[in-house]
Amino acid sequence: MSRSIEISENQRKFLLESLKHGFRLTDRPFDHVRDISLYLSPTEYGYVEVSWGKTKLACRVTATVTTPYEDRPFEGIFTINSEISTMASMRFDTSRSNEEILIARIIEKAVRRSNSLDLESLCIIAGEKVWEITVDLNYLNYDGNFIDVGCFAVMLALHHFKKPDISINGNSIVVHDINERQPVPLSILHIPICLTYSFYNLTDKESNIKGEDADEICLLDADLLEELNRDGSLVITLNKNRELIQLSKNGGLPISAQQFLELTFKSMKTIDQLTDLIKTKIKEHEELRYKTENFKLLEASADR
Amino acid sequence: MAFQVQMSVLDNSDGSAELIIGNTKVIASVSGPIEPKQRQELPNQASLEIIIRPAKGLSTTREKLLEDKLRALLQSIIIRYKYPRQLISIVVQFLVTDEDPKFTANELNAAINCCYFALIDADIALYSSFASVVSCITENKLIQNPTGKELSQSDSHHVVCFNIQEGKADKILLLESQGEFVQEELFNLLSESVSNAEELHTLQRKYLKEKIDQDYIWK
Amino acid sequence: MSSADLKQVSFPPDVLARIAPDVSLERHLSLGIRPNLRNFTEFNSIDIKSNNQQLQENYNNIFASSIVKSGPTTIINTLTLGVVENYGQDKDKYGTVYPVVEILRGRMGGAPTDEEMILGQDLYETIYHSKLIPNESLQVKPIGLGIKEEDGETIYYPDLQEADYIPQSEHEKSYSFVILSSIKVYSKHTSTNSLFDLCYLSCVDALQKLKLPRLYIMDSIQTKVSVKSKKSTTRGLISTNKAELNIDTANKQHYYSIELNIKEGSISSNYGIVKSPDNNDESILLTDLQGQEEESAILSRMSIITNKTGSINRISLINGGDGDISLELLRDAIEISKRRSKEGVM
């Protein structure tokens, strides 16, 4: 296996021809996300495995008690580690490539800087002890679109995770084992979902007037082949409340402002779908756990 | 004890394997022979690049030590003279672990066994098969394939890797023993581990046979 | 056409050692000696400076030190301390040392090399698994209270000056010491495995000389911390009860040694196994690998830690395929280690 992925001219032309005729090589609609399969660990809170088509990754959330930053004594600490190893693909060499840095930065902007995790709820004793939440993203297989899958996996793992319960005695604390006392879920303020659109110019000339009849198309959730042949990309991050979290269009094929607004509107459907997927999966998992671990016996209240 | 293997799980590696052994889940990818970096090149043998990524957090010196142990084992078992001036890159990613971070026995054991399948999937020449078993001794009692909890309460823990020839565990390739134990306990453990390793090898053969049957299904 | 005559090229021994270490080693062994001129089962002599308190006396942050010499190699190990708070989540019975190994080679600064990282991590894990340091020994004794009086500062300890001590309510927190070890290796002349043996010896020696200090806090504990809110850019001041722990270095008479689990004669030995040049079925056991040939050509190695009681604390064995490690050889190596533990190493 060589270190760089080489696409033959034939493959490239074939892809662009089929796009011209209105279908993707995997016969997916242009604005559909791939098939998603999720795995939530039944034994460990905070470990999930997410696959969008063949792109696969594992995400784990861990929490430790630590001292807060001196200038922010009321806030917890939240870090996301997303190093890509050569396991995902030989292009992600051991030295941090530009692409890897871009992926890490966008996910950080989307999740951390948008305050999706309420940091003040992580405070235990102001100025002395806070929770430090660490998210580790391990990319296993690369078939395009690490950004969307990564952000989705982080939000899913954060919802799945529960931190140990704590009792405070004056200035000292006791951290209870998760088997001793029911652990506590995190306080998540909103669920950012990233969507990556890829643009293709199907003719040789770039048209100055953009519009529907121009030979430029836009795909959602590109796989590896599509990603390597695209002419430009746009990453939009929104949440279910129709709030724009972050936006990234780094050069590449220009699009009109009109098209951009339309894309944003169209994305809402997918955003809703993905947000609901997270919520239903978590709820399903909770119910399953409730049944298998007999939580009913631990309840102190009675059903009316 | 749970033992489940899936080979060829990754698209971008020459060989890969995902192994669930006990409560430990690990995935290994092997790429090679490929172009080495200038500083890695060896004139008449293949050079090995081994990267171990932990289940939690970023790589630390703990993973460096594990890499060193795995490298010492693999550099004698891979027929390196067959791939001169080339590089064989092995990445081991732990997904789920079952031990306190101060212990590395279960992880080392899982990594060795997973690399076996990944190397075969990548079609890398090996001198022989190998199988690793982990056990611990608590109050003179021998426990095979201990859980993380049993490990932390043990008096000593041991990882043994045997070389398998003609279905028989022939010689010891690697032995990592830590704790407080006596010579008799050690040699008793070694003889018990022989049968354990040979059993593991029959499982290895089973998975390999299934894989080959599946791959050549159109033949 | 003239025919080319191949003349036999002879290399000086140190050049041969680098370009063909296995050939050089084989030639020496067939003569019955090793390139470093030791017998097959002979160890390098080790010298430990026993009562050198110089570092502890001159530096307030060093609580133990050990100097080990073997041949030209000198290892200086200093132990410093850190303090952490316990909140009951760590139920470990044994503690360990956090070592940083630096092999000085004339390189200016730079990141730790793989060898240094591996040595440090190996020491950390071995000390933990050999259960040398019970966690109870690292518990911090009751914290004293420092009071400013007219003629200076006096520190009152609850267990030492019961009558005068004024109890403070917030001292329910429990603290433990953390032992940090800084190991500097000068003139490394030997193999990495032998280096591990020497570093282990220096750690064991330093731990036995370790004396822990008492801790105290000052009477006035109001501290104000500058805080910036996320929403505004102005800074405000809030007061916290963060009392800083101080190490009582003025009262060295209160320093106490700790209870350790170190068995007498705890020693690490390393071995290499190589095929006999005369008889291909036999293997030769070499002790304490040293030198270019032994380090590059010998791939089958063992590292064994034993003590005077005859128990074993660690075995790290790798069979490189060339020299076969049979169970007999393992037994022999264990025997040699046990004998070394009994007889002592100096």
Side-chain angles (χ1 to χ4, degrees):
Chain A
M1 197 122 302
S2 70
R3 286 194 187 271
S4 59
I5 303 174
E6 284 145 5
I7 309 286
S8 64
E9 195 62 15
N10 275 349
Q11 259 184 311
R12 201 177 78 85
K13 287 256 166 71
F14 187 53
L15 172 71
L16 295 177
E17 250 334 279
S18 28
L19 288 178
K20 234 189 253 185
H21 289 274
F23 54 91
R24 298 165 93 153
L25 291 183
T26 47
D27 203 21
R28 203 185 353 142
F30 282 20
D31 57 355
H32 271 208
V33 166
R34 288 174 274 188
D35 287 335
I36 300 180
S37 95
L38 305 174
Y39 167 78
L40 282 75
S41 168
T43 47
E44 194 186 333
Y45 281 122
Y47 176 70
V48 302
E49 284 178 25
V50 176
S51 309
W52 282 25
K54 291 215 204 114
T55 298
K56 186 166 181 228
L57 53 79
C59 181
R60 172 178 271 106
V61 180
T62 40
T64 45
V65 180
T66 184
T67 37
Y69 293 132
E70 286 211 354
D71 57 342
R72 293 189 199 280
F74 305 115
E75 287 178 8
I77 302 177
F78 179 37
T79 38
I80 303 179
N81 295 325
S82 64
E83 277 187 357
I84 311 181
S85 69
T86 42
M87 173 182 280
S89 167
M90 288 253 74
R91 328 161 60 188
F92 301 106
D93 219 332
T94 34
S95 54
R96 295 206 96 186
S97 59
N98 279 334
E99 216 181 310
E100 191 183 326
I101 298 180
L102 196 70
I103 295 171
R105 252 189 31 211
I106 295 183
I107 295 181
E108 200 187 330
K109 277 201 284 180
V111 179
R112 208 167 73 89
R113 294 220 220 143
S114 68
N115 225 14
S116 62
L117 179 64
D118 180 19
L119 294 180
E120 295 194 354
S121 68
L122 298 176
C123 182
I124 305 171
I125 298 178
E128 277 189 42
K129 292 189 188 62
V130 297
W131 280 113
E132 178 175 359
I133 304 288
T134 314
V135 179
D136 293 311
L137 268 174
N138 292 317
Y139 295 96
L140 301 174
N141 197 37
Y142 181 59
D143 189 27
N145 205 3
F146 266 165
I147 296 175
D148 297 359
V149 190
C151 180
F152 182 84
V154 172
M155 292 324 296
L156 183 65
L158 286 173
H159 275 88
H160 185 236
F161 179 69
K162 292 199 167 66
K163 53 189 204 298
D165 195 13
I166 288 195
S167 334
I168 307 180
N169 298 322
N171 253 351
S172 62
I173 64 168
V174 174
V175 178
H176 295 280
D177 192 57
I178 53 170
N179 296 317
E180 208 184 298
R181 281 222 205 157
Q182 270 289 70
V184 176
L186 294 172
S187 163
I188 299 175
L189 300 174
H190 67 96
I191 305 176
I193 304 276
C194 292
L195 290 180
T196 305
Y197 289 94
S198 310
F199 306 110
Y200 300 81
N201 178 26
L202 298 173
T203 55
D204 287 323
K205 286 186 298 237
E206 211 178 284
S207 58
N208 274 328
I209 304 170
K210 314 274 174 177
E212 286 273 330
D213 42 301
D215 277 322
E216 280 177 8
I217 51 149
C218 164
L219 300 178
L220 173 62
D221 187 19
D223 60 30
L224 182 61
L225 189 62
E226 293 167 350
E227 197 175 289
L228 290 170
N229 288 315
R230 67 183 172 199
D231 297 314
S233 74
L234 165 73
V235 184
I236 307 181
T237 310
L238 298 149
N239 63 23
K240 209 169 181 187
N241 299 330
R242 277 115 175 87
E243 289 167 328
L244 177 68
I245 308 295
Q246 73 97 33
L247 187 57
S248 174
K249 181 162 195 328
N250 303 321
L253 189 70
I255 58 169
S256 70
Q258 174 81 2
Q259 188 183 14
F260 165 66
L261 286 174
E262 278 168 12
L263 279 178
T264 321
F265 279 127
K266 271 202 312 191
S267 330
M268 279 324 302
K269 195 177 95 199
T270 325
I271 300 278
D272 288 340
Q273 181 198 335
L274 291 174
T275 313
D276 289 336
L277 179 60
I278 295 183
K279 293 202 171 139
T280 27
K281 206 58 195 197
I282 294 285
K283 190 150 167 264
E284 247 174 53
H285 185 82
E286 275 300 310
E287 284 170 6
L288 187 66
R289 260 209 137 161
Y290 192 80
K291 265 191 255 162
T292 52
E293 294 193 23
N294 281 322
F295 282 164
K296 205 171 170 67
L297 299 172
L298 297 173
E299 276 188 11
S301 59
D303 272 345
R304 283 208 175 275
Chain B
M1 185 212 42
F3 188 90
Q4 208 187 326
V5 180
Q6 268 183 303
M7 289 165 69
S8 310
V9 288
L10 300 173
D11 296 326
N12 298 317
S13 320
D14 288 326
S16 56
E18 186 180 284
L19 170 70
I20 300 179
I21 182 165
N23 293 332
T24 311
K25 186 168 175 191
V26 60
I27 186 167
S29 91
V30 173
S31 288
I34 54 175
E35 182 74 23
K37 294 205 185 75
Q38 255 289 29
R39 54 182 170 84
Q40 293 170 320
E41 206 174 323
L42 289 173
N44 51 359
Q45 295 181 66
S47 53
L48 293 180
E49 178 184 66
I50 302 189
I51 297 173
I52 295 192
R53 318 253 339 254
K56 291 194 177 96
L58 297 168
S59 285
T60 60
T61 47
R62 176 180 184 272
E63 283 68 46
K64 261 272 170 290
L65 184 60
L66 272 175
E67 282 169 17
D68 186 53
K69 292 180 181 161
L70 191 61
R71 170 192 298 278
L73 174 71
L74 293 181
Q75 74 186 8
S76 323
I77 206 82
I78 296 177
I79 306 181
R80 289 158 71 206
Y81 286 97
K82 222 176 161 234
Y83 314 102
R85 297 179 319 277
Q86 300 279 59
L87 173 74
I88 299 176
S89 168
I90 302 170
V91 183
V92 177
Q93 167 82 57
F94 289 106
L95 297 174
V96 180
T97 55
D98 175 34
E99 58 189 348
D100 183 279
K102 292 209 178 75
F103 288 84
T104 54
N106 277 340
E107 281 161 78
L108 180 62
N109 182 51
I112 294 175
N113 286 323
C114 192
C115 280
Y116 174 71
F117 290 104
L119 285 167
I120 292 186
D121 192 36
D123 202 29
I124 303 274
L126 306 175
Y127 280 109
S128 68
S129 287
F130 56 94
S132 160
V133 292
V134 58
S135 37
C136 69
I137 302 176
T138 314
E139 291 165 6
N140 295 323
K141 252 193 308 161
L142 179 65
I143 304 176
Q144 310 267 23
N145 308 308
T147 61
K149 193 149 174 246
E150 289 170 334
L151 265 183
S152 35
Q153 294 166 342
S154 66
D155 295 323
S156 66
H157 61 269
H158 313 257
V159 180
V160 198
C161 180
F162 291 99
N163 162 4
I164 314 265
Q165 298 263 41
E166 320 247 328
K168 292 265 167 257
D170 193 28
K171 42 180 194 164
I172 303 176
L173 291 177
L174 172 137
L175 172 64
E176 288 286 326
S177 299
Q178 294 263 31
E180 173 88 21
F181 54 100
V182 291
Q183 195 171 326
E184 291 74 44
E185 287 178 323
L186 176 70
F187 281 91
N188 177 32
L189 179 145
L190 288 176
S191 50
E192 293 277 339
S193 303
V194 163
S195 45
N196 227 4
E198 289 173 354
E199 255 175 59
L200 197 66
H201 182 64
T202 41
L203 273 178
Q204 285 176 342
R205 293 188 83 94
K206 168 178 154 253
Y207 280 103
L208 290 175
K209 183 171 185 314
E210 268 171 29
K211 168 112 179 80
I212 295 178
D213 284 344
Q214 188 61 34
D215 283 351
Y216 284 91
I217 203 161
W218 301 111
K219 203 158 193 234
Chain C
M1 252 186 326
S2 59
S3 59
D5 258 335
L6 277 179
K7 277 212 279 270
Q8 180 155 35
V9 186
S10 66
F11 294 102
D14 41 325
V15 175
L16 188 66
R18 295 214 71 182
I19 58 174
D22 44 346
V23 171
S24 170
L25 182 63
E26 207 183 295
R27 286 193 190 166
H28 280 92
L29 292 178
S30 58
L31 293 172
I33 54 168
R34 292 161 71 175
N36 48 49
L37 304 179
R38 275 189 277 134
N39 282 328
F40 289 2
T41 52
E42 193 184 326
F43 284 88
N44 265 327
S45 65
I46 303 177
D47 178 32
I48 304 183
K49 294 268 171 277
S50 36
N51 269 325
N52 193 328
Q53 296 280 334
Q54 197 182 23
L55 285 167
Q56 286 96 304
E57 283 160 17
N58 293 338
Y59 295 96
N60 266 339
N61 58 346
I62 296 182
F63 297 90
S65 71
S66 167
I67 302 181
V68 174
K69 289 195 198 194
S70 175
T73 309
T74 307
I75 297 183
I76 300 185
N77 185 351
T78 50
L79 299 185
T80 50
L81 296 173
V83 180
V84 288
E85 194 182 326
N86 304 323
Y87 2 92
Q89 81 281 39
D90 195 13
K91 302 183 183 83
D92 257 331
K93 273 173 46 193
Y94 296 97
T96 180
V97 167
Y98 292 82
V100 173
V101 180
E102 215 180 311
I103 300 175
L104 289 111
R105 287 195 162 103
R107 270 167 73 227
M108 281 310 294
T113 61
D114 282 0
E115 190 185 5
E116 291 166 340
M117 285 196 257
I118 290 168
L119 270 174
Q121 182 73 21
D122 214 356
L123 284 168
Y124 165 83
E125 288 186 9
T126 303
I127 292 179
Y128 175 73
H129 291 302
S130 304
K131 306 185 208 269
L132 300 181
I133 309 174
N135 249 344
E136 277 174 359
S137 303
L138 296 178
Q139 272 291 73
V140 169
K141 289 204 171 157
I143 298 179
L145 185 62
I147 298 184
K148 269 202 159 66
E149 293 167 344
E150 310 86 48
D151 51 342
E153 200 179 278
T154 341
I155 305 173
Y156 297 96
Y157 290 100
D159 48 338
L160 297 176
Q161 291 107 345
E162 268 185 62
D164 303 316
Y165 182 77
I166 310 141
Q168 293 280 320
S169 57
E170 40 242 290
H171 297 180
E172 303 137 3
K173 294 194 219 179
S174 137
Y175 296 94
S176 286
F177 281 111
V178 167
I179 305 176
L180 308 159
S181 159
S182 169
I183 301 178
K184 289 197 154 51
V185 180
Y186 296 91
S187 300
K188 173 194 161 177
H189 198 251
T190 185
S191 68
T192 310
N193 288 39
S194 295
L195 207 50
F196 173 82
D197 295 346
L198 295 173
C199 290
Y200 177 77
L201 199 60
S202 83
C203 283
V204 164
D205 183 49
L207 282 171
Q208 286 168 320
K209 294 175 177 160
L210 177 65
K211 282 190 165 13
L212 295 180
R214 299 299 302 264
L215 300 181
Y216 70 95
I217 60 168
M218 288 306 296
D219 190 18
S220 53
I221 48 174
Q222 281 288 44
T223 43
K224 285 206 182 287
V225 180
S226 152
V227 175
K228 190 169 97 159
S229 153
K230 240 184 172 159
K231 306 200 172 84
S232 79
T233 48
T234 52
R235 284 182 179 270
L237 286 177
I238 62 151
S239 64
T240 70
N241 277 329
K242 210 162 58 160
E244 264 186 25
L245 280 172
N246 302 307
I247 300 184
D248 188 3
T249 51
N251 295 319
K252 288 215 162 102
Q253 71 274 22
H254 289 325
Y255 284 24
Y256 59 99
S257 32
I258 56 173
E259 201 177 299
L260 294 167
N261 226 359
I262 300 180
K263 302 211 165 71
E264 222 189 307
S266 182
I267 261 182
S268 171
S269 320
N270 75 88
Y271 305 86
I273 291 88
V274 73
K275 270 206 165 56
S276 163
D278 316 309
N279 180 356
N280 236 359
D281 288 331
E282 267 183 34
S283 298
I284 305 179
L285 183 70
L286 301 175
T287 59
D288 206 2
L289 300 183
Q290 176 195 1
Q292 180 72 20
E293 299 93 331
E294 293 187 352
E295 198 156 2
S296 331
I298 301 184
L299 301 170
S300 298
R301 301 182 183 188
M302 285 191 272
S303 174
I304 303 179
I305 299 184
T306 51
N307 55 60
K308 223 171 190 171
T309 68
S311 67
I312 310 173
N313 286 116
R314 176 185 124 121
I315 296 186
S316 181
L317 186 159
I318 189 79
N319 202 342
D322 211 35
D324 219 3
I325 305 187
S326 61
L327 287 179
E328 281 70 50
L329 273 178
L330 178 57
R331 259 185 252 267
D332 289 341
I334 296 177
E335 276 315 300
I336 297 178
S337 294
K338 285 189 191 168
R339 205 182 325 134
R340 202 164 172 238
S341 288
K342 275 212 183 74
E343 291 167 8
V345 93
M346 264 78 76

